[in-house]
Amino acid sequence: MARLLPLRPDNQFFPSPIHTHKQPFLSVYTITTRSFPHIKSRVKCSASGTERVRESKKLPNSPIKEDLPQLPNPGSDSEALTTETGLEQNWPPWKNIPERYKLIGATSIAFVICNMDKVNLSIAIIPMSHQFGWSSSVAGLVQSSFFWGYALSQLPGGWLSKIFGGRKVLEIGVFTWSFATALVPLLAGFMPGLIFSRILVGIGEGVSPSAATDLIARTIPVGERSRAVGFVFGGLSLGSVLGLLLAPPIIQSFNWESVFYLFGLLGVGWFIGFQFLKEEEVSHRGDGTTTSHKPKKATREELGDSLKEIPWKSFFQSPAVWAMIYTHFCGSWGHYTCLSWLPTYFSEALSLNLRDAAWVSILPPLASIFVTSLASQFADYLISNGVETTTVRKICQTIAFLAPAICMTLSSVDIGLPPWEIAGILTAGLALSSFALSGLYCTHQDISPEYASILLGITNTVGAVPGIVGVALTGFLLDSTHSWTLSLFVPSIFFYLTGTVVWLAFASSKPQKFTKEP
C-alpha cells in the first residue's frame, strides 16, 4: 500500500518530474500541462489503479487551478480510504460488465424460465388428469391451448417491440406468463378458466422471441450476433432440461400445484431484478453505424400511425422473407411434433419403461445446449474471417435440417438397431437442429435490424401452426396407420428436405430496405 505524504507547508502543488514511487497521490495532482507526459505514465502505476487512469483522461489540458481534490491530512487512515474506494469501484462483481452483455444474460435467463413454464404442464398433466378425471382428448385440449395464445401474440409482439423496444415488451411478457402460470392451480377445477390461463401463458411467451430479437438487433453488432442469438435462444433448451428434471421430484415431494407456484415465482423474481438494468440501448444497423437512444412513450395517435407505416407489402415482396417463413414452418413441424410425441415413441415403439422414456426425452435438449454453443462460435468465426454472412447462414441452416432428416430416416428403417442406439441417433439429429439458431434465427436481424422483431413475429406466427395442427395430425395418423414412421417421421423428413431446398435457393442475409409504398 502506498504511503501518503503531507503537502508542503505552503500547501501548493508543483509540477516536477519526480520519478519516485513514494508520492503516488502527488503524481496524480501534478498533471497540469502537456509538458510532463511522464507524470501520466506514473499514474498508471499508482495504488489506485485503473480508476485513476480513467479519471485522469477526464482532466483538462490547462493547468488545474480550482476545485482540486483534497488530500487526506497527515495521519489519516489512507489504507481504509483506498480500500473503501476500491470496493465501491468493483461492487457488485458485474458492475463493470458491458451493459449489452448484462441484457443478453438476463434475456437468456428469461428464456430458461420460459421453457420451464412450457414443459411443466407436460409432467403435471398426469396427476391433474387423475384428480379431475380428464380423458386424453381433454388433456390434449388443455395442452394445445398454450399454442393458441402463442400464435396470436407473434405479430403484436413484433409491432410492440418496434415501438416500445424489446426490453419493455420482454419484461411485460415474462410477468404475464409467470402470473398466469401461478394461476393454474387456482383455476384447474374450472375448465374455461384453466384454458384462459394457458392462453395467457402462450401470449406472454409468444411476444418474447420478437422482443429478444429486437433487443439483440438494437444492442449487438453483427460480429457477435450469432453468439448472442445462440446464448439467448439456447436458454430454451436449458429450460426444457431443468423443467423436465425438476418437475417430477417437486410433484412427488409436495404436489402438482407446487410446480406452478414455484416456477411462476421464478419469473416474478426475474421481473423485479430486470428493473435494475439500465434502459439505454444502442442500435447496430445494417450499414455498421450505431445510434444511442432510449425507447420513448408513444401516444395513441403515434401507435396508430406506426402500425400504418409498417411496410407489410414490401415484406411479402421479398423472396428472402418468404424463405424465412417457410423454413420456420418446416423447422417448427419437426420440433413440436417430436417434443410432444417422442416420449410416447420411446415408451411404445422402443419398449422403454416410463422412467427411462422420461430420461431419454431429456437428452435432445441437453445435447442442444452444447451444439448451440458450438454452432454460434462456428458461425461467428466464419464471419470474422471474411466468409459472406449469407453463406454462413445457409451452411448452418442446412446442417440444422439435413442432420435430423438423416437421423430420422435411419431410425425409421428397420435395420436391427437396439433401442438405445435409435434413441442416440434421434438425440444427435435433434441436437444438431440447433444450428438453426445461427442460421434462420439470425437472418431477421441481418436483413433488417429496424424490423427484425416484426419479421420474426411474421415467421413465428406461421411457425406456431405446427404446434396446433401438426401435433394433432400426428395423433390422427398414428390412430389411422399404427405406424410411427408414417405418422411422425415421414412428415418431418418431408418438411426438413423441402425447407432445405427453399432456404438454399432464396435465403439472404444482405441488408434490405423495406419501404412503404404510397
Short mmCIF file of all heavy atoms in Angstrom, two decimals, residues 54-75:
data_model
loop_
_atom_site.label_atom_id
_atom_site.label_comp_id
_atom_site.label_asym_id
_atom_site.label_seq_id
_atom_site.Cartn_x
_atom_site.Cartn_y
_atom_site.Cartn_z
N ARG A 54 -8.65 6.13 -15.51
CA ARG A 54 -9.89 6.54 -16.14
C ARG A 54 -10.21 8.00 -15.82
O ARG A 54 -10.62 8.78 -16.67
CB ARG A 54 -11.03 5.63 -15.67
CG ARG A 54 -12.33 5.88 -16.40
CD ARG A 54 -13.43 4.98 -15.86
NE ARG A 54 -13.12 3.57 -16.05
CZ ARG A 54 -12.90 2.72 -15.06
NH1 ARG A 54 -12.99 3.13 -13.81
NH2 ARG A 54 -12.62 1.47 -15.31
N GLU A 55 -10.03 8.38 -14.57
CA GLU A 55 -10.33 9.75 -14.20
C GLU A 55 -9.32 10.72 -14.80
O GLU A 55 -9.64 11.85 -15.13
CB GLU A 55 -10.32 9.89 -12.67
CG GLU A 55 -11.46 9.12 -11.98
CD GLU A 55 -12.80 9.65 -12.43
OE1 GLU A 55 -12.91 10.86 -12.70
OE2 GLU A 55 -13.73 8.84 -12.54
N SER A 56 -8.03 10.27 -14.95
CA SER A 56 -7.01 11.17 -15.49
C SER A 56 -7.33 11.57 -16.91
O SER A 56 -6.96 12.64 -17.37
CB SER A 56 -5.64 10.49 -15.42
OG SER A 56 -5.57 9.42 -16.34
N LYS A 57 -8.04 10.68 -17.66
CA LYS A 57 -8.40 11.00 -19.03
C LYS A 57 -9.41 12.16 -19.10
O LYS A 57 -9.60 12.76 -20.13
CB LYS A 57 -8.98 9.77 -19.73
CG LYS A 57 -7.95 8.67 -19.90
CD LYS A 57 -8.57 7.46 -20.58
CE LYS A 57 -7.56 6.35 -20.73
NZ LYS A 57 -8.14 5.15 -21.35
N LYS A 58 -10.08 12.41 -18.00
CA LYS A 58 -11.07 13.47 -17.98
C LYS A 58 -10.46 14.83 -17.58
O LYS A 58 -11.13 15.84 -17.58
CB LYS A 58 -12.20 13.12 -17.01
CG LYS A 58 -12.92 11.82 -17.35
CD LYS A 58 -13.99 11.51 -16.35
CE LYS A 58 -14.69 10.20 -16.67
NZ LYS A 58 -15.72 9.87 -15.66
N LEU A 59 -9.12 14.87 -17.18
CA LEU A 59 -8.51 16.10 -16.74
C LEU A 59 -8.32 17.04 -17.91
O LEU A 59 -7.96 16.61 -19.00
CB LEU A 59 -7.17 15.80 -16.07
CG LEU A 59 -7.24 15.04 -14.74
CD1 LEU A 59 -5.86 14.68 -14.28
CD2 LEU A 59 -7.95 15.88 -13.69
N PRO A 60 -8.49 18.33 -17.75
CA PRO A 60 -8.27 19.27 -18.85
C PRO A 60 -6.80 19.43 -19.13
O PRO A 60 -5.94 19.10 -18.31
CB PRO A 60 -8.90 20.56 -18.32
CG PRO A 60 -8.78 20.44 -16.83
CD PRO A 60 -8.97 18.99 -16.53
N ASN A 61 -6.48 19.97 -20.32
CA ASN A 61 -5.10 20.19 -20.70
C ASN A 61 -4.50 21.44 -20.02
O ASN A 61 -3.29 21.57 -19.91
CB ASN A 61 -4.99 20.33 -22.22
CG ASN A 61 -5.30 19.03 -22.92
OD1 ASN A 61 -5.01 17.97 -22.39
ND2 ASN A 61 -5.88 19.11 -24.12
N SER A 62 -5.36 22.35 -19.64
CA SER A 62 -4.88 23.57 -18.99
C SER A 62 -4.57 23.29 -17.54
O SER A 62 -5.07 22.34 -16.96
CB SER A 62 -5.96 24.65 -19.11
OG SER A 62 -7.14 24.21 -18.50
N PRO A 63 -3.72 24.10 -16.92
CA PRO A 63 -3.35 23.88 -15.51
C PRO A 63 -4.57 23.89 -14.62
O PRO A 63 -5.51 24.64 -14.81
CB PRO A 63 -2.41 25.06 -15.20
CG PRO A 63 -1.87 25.49 -16.52
CD PRO A 63 -2.97 25.24 -17.50
N ILE A 64 -4.53 23.04 -13.63
CA ILE A 64 -5.62 22.94 -12.68
C ILE A 64 -5.43 24.00 -11.60
O ILE A 64 -4.43 23.98 -10.87
CB ILE A 64 -5.67 21.55 -12.04
CG1 ILE A 64 -5.81 20.50 -13.13
CG2 ILE A 64 -6.76 21.44 -11.02
CD1 ILE A 64 -5.76 19.10 -12.61
N LYS A 65 -6.37 24.90 -11.51
CA LYS A 65 -6.24 25.98 -10.55
C LYS A 65 -7.32 25.93 -9.49
O LYS A 65 -7.14 26.45 -8.41
CB LYS A 65 -6.31 27.33 -11.28
CG LYS A 65 -5.15 27.51 -12.26
CD LYS A 65 -5.24 28.86 -12.96
CE LYS A 65 -4.09 29.06 -13.93
NZ LYS A 65 -4.17 30.38 -14.62
N GLU A 66 -8.47 25.36 -9.85
CA GLU A 66 -9.57 25.36 -8.90
C GLU A 66 -10.11 23.96 -8.73
O GLU A 66 -9.88 23.09 -9.56
CB GLU A 66 -10.68 26.29 -9.39
CG GLU A 66 -10.24 27.74 -9.51
CD GLU A 66 -11.35 28.62 -10.01
OE1 GLU A 66 -12.43 28.08 -10.31
OE2 GLU A 66 -11.17 29.85 -10.06
N ASP A 67 -10.89 23.79 -7.69
CA ASP A 67 -11.59 22.54 -7.42
C ASP A 67 -10.63 21.36 -7.38
O ASP A 67 -10.89 20.31 -7.94
CB ASP A 67 -12.67 22.28 -8.48
CG ASP A 67 -13.69 23.38 -8.50
OD1 ASP A 67 -13.93 23.95 -7.42
OD2 ASP A 67 -14.22 23.66 -9.60
N LEU A 68 -9.46 21.58 -6.78
CA LEU A 68 -8.52 20.48 -6.66
C LEU A 68 -9.03 19.50 -5.62
O LEU A 68 -9.60 19.89 -4.61
CB LEU A 68 -7.15 21.01 -6.22
CG LEU A 68 -6.41 21.87 -7.25
CD1 LEU A 68 -5.15 22.44 -6.65
CD2 LEU A 68 -6.08 21.02 -8.48
N PRO A 69 -8.84 18.22 -5.83
CA PRO A 69 -9.28 17.25 -4.83
C PRO A 69 -8.49 17.40 -3.55
O PRO A 69 -7.30 17.76 -3.59
CB PRO A 69 -9.02 15.91 -5.52
CG PRO A 69 -8.00 16.19 -6.57
CD PRO A 69 -8.22 17.60 -7.01
N GLN A 70 -9.11 17.12 -2.47
CA GLN A 70 -8.48 17.28 -1.17
C GLN A 70 -7.74 16.01 -0.79
O GLN A 70 -8.31 14.93 -0.80
CB GLN A 70 -9.55 17.60 -0.11
CG GLN A 70 -10.28 18.92 -0.37
CD GLN A 70 -9.34 20.10 -0.30
OE1 GLN A 70 -8.48 20.16 0.57
NE2 GLN A 70 -9.52 21.05 -1.20
N LEU A 71 -6.47 16.18 -0.45
CA LEU A 71 -5.69 15.05 0.05
C LEU A 71 -5.98 14.85 1.53
O LEU A 71 -6.31 15.80 2.24
CB LEU A 71 -4.19 15.31 -0.14
CG LEU A 71 -3.67 15.31 -1.57
CD1 LEU A 71 -2.19 15.66 -1.59
CD2 LEU A 71 -3.89 13.97 -2.23
N PRO A 72 -5.89 13.63 1.98
CA PRO A 72 -6.12 13.39 3.41
C PRO A 72 -5.05 14.06 4.25
O PRO A 72 -3.91 14.24 3.82
CB PRO A 72 -6.08 11.86 3.52
CG PRO A 72 -5.31 11.42 2.33
CD PRO A 72 -5.58 12.41 1.26
N ASN A 73 -5.42 14.44 5.45
CA ASN A 73 -4.48 15.06 6.37
C ASN A 73 -3.46 14.05 6.84
O ASN A 73 -3.73 12.84 6.85
CB ASN A 73 -5.23 15.63 7.58
CG ASN A 73 -6.13 16.77 7.17
OD1 ASN A 73 -5.78 17.54 6.28
ND2 ASN A 73 -7.29 16.85 7.82
N PRO A 74 -2.27 14.52 7.24
CA PRO A 74 -1.27 13.58 7.77
C PRO A 74 -1.83 12.81 8.94
O PRO A 74 -2.50 13.36 9.81
CB PRO A 74 -0.12 14.51 8.21
CG PRO A 74 -0.31 15.77 7.40
CD PRO A 74 -1.78 15.90 7.21
N GLY A 75 -1.55 11.50 8.92
CA GLY A 75 -2.02 10.65 10.00
C GLY A 75 -3.37 10.04 9.76
O GLY A 75 -3.84 9.27 10.58
#
